[in-house]
Amino acid sequence: MAGATMADEGDNPVALNVTPLVDIIFCLCLFFLCSFHFKQLEGKLDAWLPQGAGPRAGHGEVTLEELRVGVRWDAERAAIATRVNDHPAADVRELEALLTQRREHLVAAGVGVPPVTIDADPEVPWQGVVRVTDVCRRARLDRIEFAAPAAAIPASGR
Amino acid sequence: MSAKKGPSIDENVQLNLVPMVDIMFLLLLFFMLGADMGHRELEDVKLPEADVSSVKEDTTPDERTTVNVYHETRGAKCQVYEALQKAGGTSSQICRDMAHWKVGIRGIDYPLDGVTKSAGPNSDGLSMKEKLFMEAESNRPDPNNKTLSERRLQIRGDEAGPYGVVQRVMNTCAEVGIYKIEIGAATKAPE
C-alpha cells in the first residue's frame, strides 16, 4: 500500500496518501464484521387491558354480543385448547373460521363488532397466546383486550 | 568487448487502490446500516412469531415503556429450557419455574409479585408496581385521575415463557392505570 503512494508522490506532487484511510476502513470493517448480526424485524400487536369495564371484563357472564376467546392448557395432550364463547375450536383454522363467522353475524345483525377478549390460563405458553391474538387480527378483529383477574381492576372501574 | 546489456525494464508497478477503497467503503456502509445498534433495553428475547403484526413505529422509544420478559437462571442450568432451545422452540414443554423468569425494565430486574423491591447491583430500590406507576405518571391526561394513563407499554415476552408471567405484568399495569399494550412479535421472514 505504502509503495504505491510513494510512487504516486514521485509522479504527482499533490498525490493523496490513502494509506491511513485504508487502514482505518480496514479496522472499521473488521469491527463491524465481528460484531455483526442482522436486525430482527420486530412488529407489534396492539391490545388493551380492561379500564372502566370492571370485573365483568374478567369474570362476567358471556353475553350474546360478546366475543370471548378462552385459551386453556391441556396437560394431557400438551397443547392449547381454544374456544370462542362456548364453541370449542379444534385448531387455529377452525378458531379463525369461528371468529370470522361470529364477526359477520354481529355485523349483519347491526350490533357492530365488539372487542374480542382473550381469557387465557397462566399455564399457556406465551407463543400460544400471541398466536391466538394473531388469529384475531387475521379475522379482522382489531380491538383486542386481555381479561384480567378482578383484583387487578382499578377501584374506580368496579 | 563490450558487455551485453539486457533490455532495461522500467519497473514502475503501481497498485491501483481505488477499486479496493470503493469496495471497502461499500462493505463499511453495509455493515454500518445492517448492524443492530438499536436501544431495546436490551435483553435478548426470542419473540413469538406473528403473521399480521404491524412493523410501523407510531411511537418513539421515549413515548413507551418496554418490558422484557426473559429466561435467566444466573448460571444454573434449566434442562427444560435448554431442551426447548435445542428443539428449535417447537417442544410443547416449557419452563414453568417462576424463579427462572425475569421482568426487566430499562435494564433492571423486578420481582414478579409486583410489590417486592428490586435488589442487586443495578437496582433502583423500587418494586415493579412503583416503577410502572412512575411510568404511568409521565402521561396522565388528568393528573387528578390516577386510574388511567395514556402511556404505552410494550411487552417483549420470550415465546417459551408461560402466560402467567406476562399476566402478572399486565395485572400490575392495570393496577397503575396503563391499559395501552403493545405485544412485541417477530415478523416472519418472506418465503
Side-chain angles (χ1 to χ4, degrees):
Chain A
M1 283 184 279
T5 54
M6 292 292 281
D8 286 345
E9 281 168 8
D11 296 340
N12 183 358
V14 289
L16 187 64
N17 186 1
V18 292
T19 309
L21 177 77
V22 173
D23 288 348
I24 287 174
I25 291 178
F26 258 125
C27 289
L28 281 173
C29 264
L30 203 66
F31 167 73
F32 282 111
L33 193 67
C34 293
S35 64
F36 186 76
H37 63 275
F38 280 101
K39 281 179 185 172
Q40 184 186 27
L41 194 55
E42 283 190 21
K44 61 185 173 65
L45 298 161
D46 289 326
W48 308 84
L49 296 178
Q51 350 157 15
R56 186 177 151 274
H59 293 279
E61 291 179 3
V62 176
T63 61
L64 286 176
E65 293 77 22
E66 189 175 9
L67 267 174
R68 177 177 292 263
V69 181
V71 190
R72 304 284 171 258
W73 178 247
D74 185 343
E76 288 184 5
R77 291 192 304 130
I80 61 169
T82 56
R83 58 172 53 231
V84 178
N85 292 356
D86 293 327
H87 302 282
D91 55 22
V92 168
R93 283 184 185 170
E94 193 176 334
L95 176 66
E96 186 176 351
L98 275 172
L99 285 169
T100 306
Q101 182 188 16
R102 186 79 191 135
R103 178 185 183 281
E104 287 170 357
H105 174 73
L106 289 169
V107 170
V111 178
V113 183
V116 55
T117 305
I118 296 176
D119 187 1
D121 274 349
E123 292 81 21
V124 174
W126 178 232
Q127 168 75 72
V129 178
V130 174
R131 170 59 64 190
V132 169
T133 311
D134 198 28
V135 168
C136 293
R137 294 290 296 270
R138 279 213 303 261
R140 294 168 57 204
L141 295 162
D142 293 331
R143 292 164 61 201
I144 297 168
E145 295 185 352
F146 283 91
I153 309 296
S156 69
R158 298 186 180 197
Chain B
M1 290 180 71
S2 63
K4 284 188 179 177
K5 279 189 176 179
S8 68
I9 300 171
D10 185 10
E11 292 185 359
N12 188 13
V13 180
Q14 293 189 13
L15 187 64
N16 187 2
L17 290 177
V18 176
M20 190 181 78
V21 172
D22 287 349
I23 289 175
M24 297 283 288
F25 262 121
L26 286 177
L27 274 175
L28 186 64
L29 204 65
F30 169 76
F31 285 126
M32 283 177 69
L33 295 179
D36 188 2
M37 298 278 185
H39 182 65
R40 206 179 290 136
E41 299 161 5
L42 259 167
E43 289 83 4
D44 192 15
V45 177
K46 190 169 190 309
L47 297 174
E49 284 191 350
D51 293 331
V52 289
S53 63
S54 164
V55 293
K56 191 178 70 173
E57 288 283 346
D58 49 7
T59 53
T60 65
D62 291 338
E63 292 170 340
R64 67 169 181 261
T65 305
T66 303
V67 176
N68 293 302
V69 178
Y70 61 102
H71 191 265
E72 169 66 62
T73 55
R74 301 202 187 287
K77 280 199 170 184
C78 175
Q79 292 179 340
V80 178
Y81 190 77
E82 285 178 8
L84 189 68
Q85 297 302 105
K86 282 180 186 169
T90 56
S91 170
S92 54
Q93 296 299 327
I94 61 170
C95 172
R96 292 192 168 79
D97 187 342
M98 290 297 178
H100 289 182
W101 291 99
K102 308 292 178 199
V103 173
I105 305 172
R106 300 188 195 283
I108 299 173
D109 290 345
Y110 294 90
L112 283 179
D113 62 9
V115 293
T116 307
K117 312 275 187 195
S118 63
N122 299 325
S123 160
D124 56 3
L126 299 174
S127 66
M128 177 166 58
K129 186 174 179 179
E130 290 167 337
K131 179 68 180 175
L132 289 178
F133 182 79
M134 285 172 60
E135 298 287 337
E137 283 291 294
S138 67
N139 194 357
R140 291 212 192 269
D142 178 5
N144 297 321
N145 182 357
K146 298 292 182 189
T147 59
L148 284 184
S149 168
E150 292 294 314
R151 183 77 177 173
R152 284 180 175 271
L153 185 125
Q154 185 178 49
I155 298 177
R156 297 178 71 245
D158 192 313
E159 64 173 6
Y163 173 61
V165 181
V166 179
Q167 197 177 31
R168 291 187 190 190
V169 176
M170 289 181 175
N171 291 350
T172 310
C173 289
E175 286 171 5
V176 300
I178 294 175
Y179 67 97
K180 291 182 176 176
I181 302 292
E182 297 173 0
I183 296 169
T187 54
K188 283 185 175 172
E191 294 176 358

